[in-house]
Amino acid sequence: MRAAFIEELGSPDAIRYGELPAPVPGPGDVLVRVTATTVNPVDTFVRSGLYRTPVPFPFVISRDLVGTVVQAGPGAPGLRPGDRVWSNSLGHAGRQGPAAELAVVPAERLYRLPEGVDPYEAVAVVHPAATAYLGLFTHGALRAGDTVLVAGAAGNVGSAMVVMAAEAGARVLATARPEDFGHCRALGAAEVLDYRDPALAERLREFAPGGIDLHLDTSGGNDLTAAVDSLAARGRIVLLAGARTAPVLPAGALYMKDGSVRGFVISSATSAELAEAARAINRLLAAGLLRPRALEKLPLSEAADVHRRIEKGDLHGRRALLLPALDTAGPRPGGTR
C-alpha cells in the first residue's frame, strides 16, 4: 500500500511517500480503507520528537481518519465491511498512523460516522473537537451558567470550544482577530474581544464583573498572571497548548481565589474519555453544529509540504486533508473551498 511515513525523527524532510506492507489487524482491530486523514500540530510534535512517544519505524504519520471498514476482527462486534467510520487517536503510543491507503484501528478507538455527515468535513473537526470536549468538560468541569473565556476562538480547537460551551448553556467570551469576530459570534460567542487590545483586562472585567469561571487559551500564550487576575472564585484554568511556554504562576492570588490550574494533552486521554467525547462529537456533527471553516483536499504525497505549512502557521482557519485516492485519480474532488 502507499503511505506517508518516516524512518527517523526529524524535520518535514524526513517524511517519505512510497510503498509499505499492508497492515494486518489483530482480533480486537478493524482494518479500514482510508478516505482522508489530516495534519494536526501534534502530528508535527510526534514526527520531530518534541512529544516523546513510542514510534516504531517505518512509522506511518498522522492521527485522524475517516474511511470504510474492510475487515473487523472478532473483538470488534457490530462493524461490517462498508461501514463508514472515523478515528482521532492513532499515530502515537506505538500505534501506526493513518496516512496510508489502509490503517488498522483498535475497535475501542473507532466510531461510526453518522448518516448524512460529509466525511471530509467530519475528519477535519474530530481531533480539534475532541480536544475541545476534554478541555471543557473532562478537565474544565464546565457547567451551565458558567462564564467561559476561549482565547484563540477562531482556530480549529477554539471554534469547537465556542460551539460546545454555548450549546451546553455557558456564556462564552472569545478573543480573536477583528476579522474573525463575525465567525466567533456565529458559533455562539456572546462577546468577542481583540486579543491584541492593550485594554483587554479592563474589557474582560466589564463583560465579566464576577470573573471567569473557566479559562482556556488555545493559542498557547499561557499568560497565567492575566488569567488568574480575571478568574472568578473557584475558577479553573485549563492548559492545552504552548508546549514550550514557561509562564510565572501568581500562586498566592490563585489560592486566595480557591482557583486551580490543570493541564492535559489529548494523547494521554483514555479510550473511555475519547469515546465519551466521540458521542458528543457525533451528536453535534449530525446536528450540523460542527463544521470546518475551509478545507484543502490534497494528495497524500504532499504530506511533507503540509507539515511545513502548519509549522509556519500558514493554515490559519483552514484544514488540510490528505486523500490517498488523489495520488492515482484525476482532478481533486471539490478542490479548495
Side-chain angles (χ1 to χ4, degrees):
M1 69 169 184
R2 290 162 302 169
F5 60 94
I6 58 174
E7 296 177 301
E8 61 181 358
L9 300 177
S11 73
D13 293 340
I15 298 175
R16 302 285 180 261
Y17 175 74
E19 292 288 333
L20 288 179
V24 178
D29 296 331
V30 180
L31 183 64
V32 177
R33 183 166 299 281
V34 178
T35 301
T37 185
T38 60
V39 180
N40 302 289
V42 71
D43 301 335
T44 71
F45 301 161
V46 172
R47 184 216 70 231
S48 67
L50 176 63
Y51 178 74
R52 293 295 179 178
T53 187
V55 178
F57 296 118
F59 176 70
V60 179
I61 60 174
S62 290
R63 182 162 297 208
D64 316 326
L65 71 76
V66 65
T68 56
V69 172
V70 175
Q71 176 187 343
L79 288 171
R80 298 181 176 84
D83 286 349
R84 299 197 311 165
V85 289
W86 62 270
S87 180
N88 59 358
S89 59
L90 302 178
H92 65 99
R95 290 182 292 274
Q96 292 283 354
E101 293 179 293
L102 296 167
V104 164
V105 187
E108 71 271 13
R109 292 174 179 268
L110 191 65
Y111 320 108
R112 292 182 181 275
L113 187 68
E115 288 294 327
V117 172
D118 182 276
Y120 302 112
E121 292 191 350
V123 76
V125 302
V126 292
H127 183 80
T131 304
Y133 183 91
L134 293 171
L136 289 168
F137 301 99
T138 306
H139 300 286
L142 177 70
R143 298 179 291 266
D146 279 351
T147 296
V148 179
L149 175 64
V150 178
N156 298 309
V157 175
S159 293
M161 280 184 172
V162 174
V163 169
M164 290 181 170
E167 200 261 350
R171 178 171 176 260
V172 182
L173 307 182
T175 66
R177 302 174 182 177
E179 57 265 34
D180 291 323
F181 282 13
H183 170 70
C184 295
R185 291 192 181 98
L187 296 174
E191 303 290 346
V192 190
L193 307 174
D194 187 344
Y195 73 93
R196 297 167 296 189
D197 186 348
L200 179 60
E202 290 76 11
R203 298 291 309 280
L204 285 174
R205 281 192 287 271
E206 175 187 345
F207 289 115
I212 304 297
D213 297 301
L214 179 57
H215 180 289
L216 307 109
D217 181 0
T218 70
S219 69
N222 296 333
D223 184 347
L224 294 183
T225 299
V228 171
D229 181 64
S230 67
L231 211 59
R234 298 200 172 182
R236 291 90 64 202
I237 300 169
V238 176
L239 306 178
L240 65 150
R244 296 179 176 89
T245 60
V248 173
L249 173 66
L254 179 69
Y255 80 72
M256 291 295 285
K257 290 185 173 184
D258 285 354
S260 65
V261 178
R262 184 170 183 176
F264 82 97
V265 291
I266 190 172
S267 300
S268 298
T270 67
S271 57
E273 289 169 341
L274 291 170
E276 180 182 317
R279 288 190 288 272
I281 291 167
N282 271 349
R283 178 175 60 81
L284 295 172
L285 283 172
L289 295 177
L290 283 178
R291 300 187 66 184
R293 292 182 72 177
L295 298 178
E296 289 185 41
K297 298 173 182 176
L298 304 167
L300 182 58
S301 55
E302 295 188 24
D305 184 59
V306 176
H307 272 240
R308 293 185 191 98
R309 291 173 63 198
I310 201 168
E311 288 185 335
K312 292 178 181 177
D314 290 346
L315 289 174
H316 175 73
R318 308 184 70 79
R319 290 287 275 160
L321 307 187
L322 298 172
L323 281 61
L326 287 186
D327 287 290
T328 55
R332 301 175 185 177
T336 300
R337 72 166 179 77

